[in-house]
């Protein structure tokens, strides 16, 4: 559509944590790019800057806007790099059992590692994806109950056990903050709670302590200016 190869490369690079351009795009998807070309006395210098990108694929919309600090953020002011929030719940929950490699199991009494963190939440509490990813499993298990697994790129994986209801299906793309399930008390469970696991390279880690890239957001004083900028650029891109 007249974009320079360098611009296409830049866009692919900007969104690489959000979108796999070889795999995720389908016929009918839409995109919009806002480019600022530099001219000197009517002559294009070949220097250009991408001010905004929006891609609509299926039901998800991915966007990036450049702020005055030179960095790109999504429309809500979150950084674009792969990042997580600490809890898969909207509010900081009460913890009932921590990650513990040597825990005595509360039901069997045997020492068996607790590979996750239990959050004490009433049945039906919204469980949210702590980062962008793709659902790799939705199933029912004798002990784990109804559970979901989400892959976040090749390195990170999260698991959610004892759910009452899954709100996603296998293969579905999810974004950070999206409600993916309702908590429950299914499987071998001593009471309503969410068992949450975070794996790095296939190994479970303590999600509350591990060195996990945390999501960063523009500070409040920048957010207002950024939101104004996004609104005017979206108007230029015929988005709304
Ligand atoms: Zn647990």
């Amino acid at each position: 559509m007249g974009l320079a190869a360098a611009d296409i490369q830049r866009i692919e690079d900007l969104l690489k944590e959000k979108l796999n351009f070889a795999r995720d795009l389908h016929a009918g998807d839409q995109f919009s790019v806002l480019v600022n070309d530099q001219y000197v006395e009517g002559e294009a210098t070949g220097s250009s800057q991408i001010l905004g990108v929006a891609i609509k694929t299926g039901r998800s919309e991915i966007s990036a806007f450049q702020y005055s600090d030179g960095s790109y953020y999504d429309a809500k002011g979150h950084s674009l790099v792969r990042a997580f929030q600490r809890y898969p719940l909207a509010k900081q929950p009460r913890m009932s059992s921590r990650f513990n490699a040597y825990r005595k199991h509360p039901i069997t009494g045997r020492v068996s590692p607790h590979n996750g963190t239990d959050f004490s939440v009433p049945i039906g509490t919204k469980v949210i994806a702590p980062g962008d990813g793709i659902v790799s499993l939705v199933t029912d298990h004798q002990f784990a109950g109804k559970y979901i697994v989400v892959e976040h790129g090749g390195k990170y994986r999260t698991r959610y056990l004892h759910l009452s209801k899954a709100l996603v299906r296998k293969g579905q793309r999810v974004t950070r903050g999206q409600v993916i399930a309702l908590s429950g008390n299914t499987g071998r469970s001593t009471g309503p709670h969410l068992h949450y696991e975070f794996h790095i390279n296939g190994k479970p880690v303590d999600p509350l302590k591990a060195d996990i890239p945390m999501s960063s957001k523009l500070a409040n004083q920048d957010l207002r200016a950024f939101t104004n900028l996004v609104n005017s650029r979206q108007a230029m891109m015929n988005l709304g």
Side-chain angles (χ1 to χ4, degrees):
M1 299 295 290
L3 277 175
D7 290 334
I8 296 169
Q9 185 59 53
R10 180 91 183 100
I11 291 166
E12 192 169 347
D13 195 50
L14 265 179
L15 299 178
K16 65 175 185 288
E17 298 284 2
K18 302 266 178 193
L19 194 65
N20 180 330
F21 280 74
R23 191 190 60 205
D24 297 339
L25 295 177
H26 304 98
D29 290 348
Q30 298 176 359
F31 72 94
S32 182
V33 179
L34 186 65
V35 182
N36 185 15
D37 286 319
Q38 189 187 57
Y39 284 81
V40 173
E41 294 179 358
E43 292 281 325
T45 65
S47 171
S48 70
Q49 209 177 3
I50 292 161
L51 301 180
V53 184
I55 297 178
K56 224 181 228 173
T57 167
R59 276 185 295 171
S60 54
E61 181 160 342
I62 293 155
S63 60
F65 297 92
Q66 193 183 39
Y67 187 48
S68 57
D69 63 2
S71 296
Y72 289 82
Y73 301 87
D74 70 15
K76 289 184 179 145
H78 292 280
S79 62
L80 294 170
V81 294
R82 176 159 319 273
F84 297 89
Q85 52 187 68
R86 215 33 111 170
Y87 311 100
L89 296 152
K91 278 186 289 187
Q92 181 166 333
R94 194 176 71 78
M95 226 179 314
S96 48
S97 176
R98 294 202 69 126
F99 181 89
N100 180 354
Y102 307 99
R103 179 180 71 154
K104 212 179 233 181
H105 194 278
I107 290 176
T108 64
R110 282 192 312 234
V111 172
S112 65
H114 188 230
N115 285 332
T117 301
D118 291 342
F119 297 114
S120 176
V121 286
I123 292 173
T125 301
K126 287 175 181 165
V127 177
I128 60 178
D132 297 349
I134 291 176
V135 178
S136 60
L137 189 67
V138 177
T139 192
D140 256 304
H141 182 272
Q142 187 186 359
F143 298 143
K146 202 179 278 295
Y147 81 97
I148 294 178
V149 182
V150 179
E151 308 289 332
H152 308 270
K155 187 172 175 186
Y156 305 103
R157 173 185 300 141
T158 51
R159 304 173 84 229
Y160 314 80
L161 276 56
H162 312 301
L163 303 169
S164 61
K165 192 175 177 33
L167 301 174
V168 290
R169 50 193 160 59
K170 189 181 170 182
Q172 187 175 334
R173 165 179 299 282
V174 295
T175 55
R176 183 175 54 224
Q178 182 176 340
V179 179
I180 57 173
L182 300 178
S183 72
N185 188 29
T186 57
R188 191 160 75 181
S189 170
T190 51
H193 76 287
L194 172 70
H195 170 106
Y196 172 54
E197 290 182 18
F198 198 101
H199 296 214
I200 300 179
N201 293 324
K203 193 172 166 285
V205 299
D206 184 345
L208 304 185
K209 286 185 180 160
D211 187 16
I212 297 165
M214 286 295 122
S215 82
S216 63
K217 193 172 191 235
L218 278 171
N220 275 339
Q221 66 261 31
D222 287 310
L223 201 53
R224 184 187 295 242
F226 179 76
T227 303
N228 288 335
L229 175 149
V230 167
N231 288 340
S232 68
R233 287 184 187 168
Q234 283 180 329
M236 284 190 264
M237 294 160 76
N238 290 321
L239 305 167

